[in-house]
Amino acid sequence: MNDLLPDRSALWQYFEGKVQALTQRYGYAEIRTPIVEQTALFARSIGEVTDIVEKEMYTFEDRNGDSLTLRPEGTASCVRAAMEHGLLHNQTQRLWYQGPMFRHERPQKGRYRQFHQVGVEAFGLEGPDIDAEVILLSARLWRELGLSDHVTLELNSLGSSEARAAYRDKLVAYFEQHRDQLDEDSLRRLTSNPLRILDSKNPDMAPMLADAPKLMDHLDDASREHFEGLTALLQAAGIDYVINPRLVRGLDYYGRTVFEWTTTALGSQGTVCAGGRYDGLVEQLGGKPTPAVGFAMGIERLVLLLETLELVPDSALGELDLYVLPLDDVATTQAMLLAERIRSELPELRLQLHCGGGSFKSRIKKADKSGARLALLLGEDELEAGRATLKFLREEREQMSLDQGALIDILASMTASDERA
Ligand code: HAM
């Protein structure tokens, strides 16, 4: 579980700001749910025999003896809340959320025990158009972050539950024939969750897995049609994808479309966004049959990716533009009033006012250490003349004496032209 320290929080805000604007532009409304739920909600939705429920949940008994769990993901909570508040009665919903999730996994780069997701969930729409829409939304985010060339869309269809059950029998028969090649983990899954064996990263099993029967070849007609509808829409929109017949996902609620956006730039934890369709979940949790599709992305991984690829824009570095520095205590009031005036006139500017007094030398040092590009100095001479001195802290450039009346315009033009550069 990580602290987010000041040197990186601006980058998180940059990412979160992009997501917030984007979900709004697609007509998705935010939902916020508690970070704890009844344990049974996750067991019933994610599935009793998944890694998450079997091994990774932070579960505890509260003072009433109820079993509660820190949410390991957002979809189940979203469905619970939507049902509880009647959001699914004869209506469609496009929702998004963000926040911390908790899984007791083995931590490594890109995998943490408290991590953060942004997710979207669309309810009440059964056609492939909405599957395409959520994928287009994510693709636009990659474009806006400069990530498009670094991520790949992997697609699969898990078919209907009947088709999946029939396929499961075929797959188990195939694995039984190759039992000697299964590792310990896979042997365990053979009875509990054989589809997950396809997901194994064990290189010794790769050739055997490559020859395993493919779910894509055993789809029911309706799921095949749905999948073809989705791929046609993606092609029309110019979104590249690869079909990965072994993509099965680690949560049990999926049927039909599943997808993941992956990158090779992060090592083994390369899935930055993942989701799919879960048409059976609302009914399974006691609601009316409601088609649904969504995804969630891992914020840590995306932030790491932006840093690794050096795609962090200056605006996401959180640096100050201007340090307003009274050169002695006499100038404190004027400096504070001037700083307030600049904040009113130039709300985009990141301005810090020197507080805490100090000697002339230590004040100048603080200005240098502030990281700001510019400092505005106010001393006795400046006060008398109604002027201020603009000092360039990060470039070799003569300082300028400015009339306070003209200050706003000059600061505005200076920061605007710097942004263009
Ligand atoms: P998930 O594949 O379990 O799906 O997680 C989605 C994303 O969350 C992953 O692709 C990854 O980027 C991030 N993530 C997961 N676990 C960790 C971790 N331990 N540390 C850092 N990042 C992590 C879901 O959670 C589904 N609820 C997605 C969904 C929404 N499906 C439909 N709607």
Side-chain angles (χ1 to χ4, degrees):
M1 298 189 183
N2 297 304
D3 295 307
L4 174 61
L5 298 178
D7 61 343
R8 291 179 85 223
S9 52
L11 176 53
W12 277 63
Q13 286 172 353
Y14 162 71
F15 176 81
E16 290 163 356
K18 287 270 182 212
V19 169
Q20 239 174 63
L22 200 60
T23 47
Q24 254 177 38
R25 287 159 66 197
Y26 278 76
Y28 285 66
E30 187 182 2
I31 183 165
R32 300 187 188 188
T33 63
I35 59 166
V36 289
E37 297 277 353
Q38 302 281 352
T39 303
L41 174 69
F42 299 119
R44 288 171 64 198
S45 54
I46 298 167
E48 297 276 2
V49 286
T50 55
D51 282 353
I52 297 180
V53 172
E54 278 185 331
K55 300 191 256 183
E56 297 170 0
M57 296 204 301
Y58 283 88
T59 297
F60 61 97
E61 222 174 70
D62 77 355
R63 287 172 187 276
N64 303 331
D66 293 333
S67 179
L68 301 183
T69 292
L70 294 183
R71 62 181 183 193
E73 58 109 48
T75 308
S77 310
C78 216
V79 171
R80 194 268 313 139
M83 284 167 55
E84 189 174 323
H85 301 286
L87 304 187
L88 303 179
H89 285 310
N90 305 322
Q91 52 191 318
T92 60
Q93 289 289 348
R94 285 175 166 88
L95 307 175
W96 75 277
Y97 54 86
Q98 79 172 36
M101 309 290 163
F102 304 84
R103 296 184 194 175
H104 196 277
E105 297 191 78
R106 198 166 47 80
Q108 62 181 93
K109 181 179 161 194
R111 189 165 74 191
Y112 311 102
R113 290 182 172 172
Q114 174 175 330
F115 59 99
H116 297 76
Q117 285 185 342
V118 171
V120 311
E121 314 287 356
F123 295 98
L125 297 157
E126 61 188 345
D129 48 357
I130 188 70
D131 303 25
E133 177 179 284
V134 299
I135 290 175
L136 288 179
L137 187 157
S138 54
R140 185 180 293 275
L141 181 63
W142 313 145
R143 271 204 305 284
E144 295 198 350
L145 295 170
L147 288 174
S148 297
D149 292 341
H150 306 278
V151 290
T152 304
L153 174 61
E154 300 184 25
L155 274 188
N156 194 17
S157 174
L158 299 181
S160 66
S161 48
E162 296 78 23
R164 217 155 46 247
Y167 168 74
R168 186 187 146 118
D169 292 344
K170 285 201 180 67
L171 194 64
V172 170
Y174 174 83
F175 286 143
E176 289 290 0
Q177 276 169 21
H178 299 85
R179 206 182 168 90
D180 53 327
Q181 295 176 48
L182 295 178
D183 59 17
E184 208 178 307
D185 222 22
S186 304
L187 283 171
R188 202 175 49 81
R189 282 176 166 156
L190 192 54
T191 42
S192 61
N193 201 345
L195 265 67
R196 286 288 284 165
I197 299 177
L198 294 171
D199 215 21
S200 167
K201 305 282 183 292
N202 184 343
D204 297 339
M205 285 172 43
M208 185 270 294
L209 290 178
D211 289 339
K214 296 186 172 46
L215 181 46
M216 205 38 110
D217 300 330
H218 298 85
L219 287 186
D220 52 296
D221 290 343
S223 296
R224 178 178 310 287
E225 216 172 278
H226 186 96
F227 192 69
E228 285 167 3
L230 171 59
T231 52
L233 285 166
L234 293 177
Q235 279 161 25
I239 303 289
D240 293 334
Y241 58 86
V242 292
I243 295 177
N244 174 359
R246 281 166 51 186
L247 180 63
V248 291
R249 308 278 300 122
L251 305 94
D252 279 355
Y253 48 62
Y254 293 109
R256 293 196 173 171
T257 312
V258 288
F259 64 92
E260 292 191 356
W261 287 97
T262 57
T263 175
T264 52
L266 287 182
S268 65
Q269 302 305 313
T271 305
V272 292
C273 174
R277 193 162 261 287
Y278 50 98
D279 294 339
L281 184 57
V282 175
E283 191 179 11
Q284 194 185 316
L285 294 177
K288 283 197 186 146
T290 307
V293 60
F295 66 70
M297 46 181 88
I299 304 184
E300 281 81 0
R301 291 186 193 177
L302 283 159
V303 165
L304 204 58
L305 189 58
L306 292 173
E307 289 172 321
T308 306
L309 300 171
E310 298 183 6
L311 291 171
V312 180
D314 285 354
S315 63
L317 293 173
E319 289 171 344
L320 290 176
D321 297 305
L322 182 65
Y323 194 79
V324 174
L325 180 61
L327 292 174
D328 53 38
D329 289 344
V330 182
T332 300
T333 310
Q334 280 298 320
M336 183 170 273
L337 295 181
L338 184 62
E340 284 299 299
R341 183 155 75 84
I342 298 171
R343 289 182 179 120
S344 298
E345 304 266 349
L346 302 172
E348 299 294 314
L349 212 73
R350 276 168 295 195
L351 181 164
Q352 195 171 81
L353 173 68
H354 176 87
C355 289
S359 67
F360 177 80
K361 216 172 129 189
S362 81
R363 288 176 195 235
I364 297 286
K365 240 192 192 156
K366 287 249 169 69
D368 280 331
K369 260 187 82 178
S370 74
R373 297 204 333 271
L374 304 168
L376 200 59
L377 277 43
L378 282 175
E380 224 179 300
D381 298 346
E382 282 86 357
L383 287 185
E384 263 171 32
R387 302 182 76 82
T389 300
L390 190 64
K391 193 167 158 22
F392 297 87
L393 296 177
R394 285 200 248 147
E395 49 193 313
E396 290 296 324
R397 197 165 153 186
E398 264 311 283
Q399 61 183 38
M400 295 159 71
S401 169
L402 304 174
D403 184 85
Q404 282 189 28
L407 194 63
I408 299 292
D409 285 344
I410 290 175
L411 282 177
S413 70
M414 210 159 255
T415 40
S417 65
D418 285 353
E419 261 166 32
R420 271 200 300 279

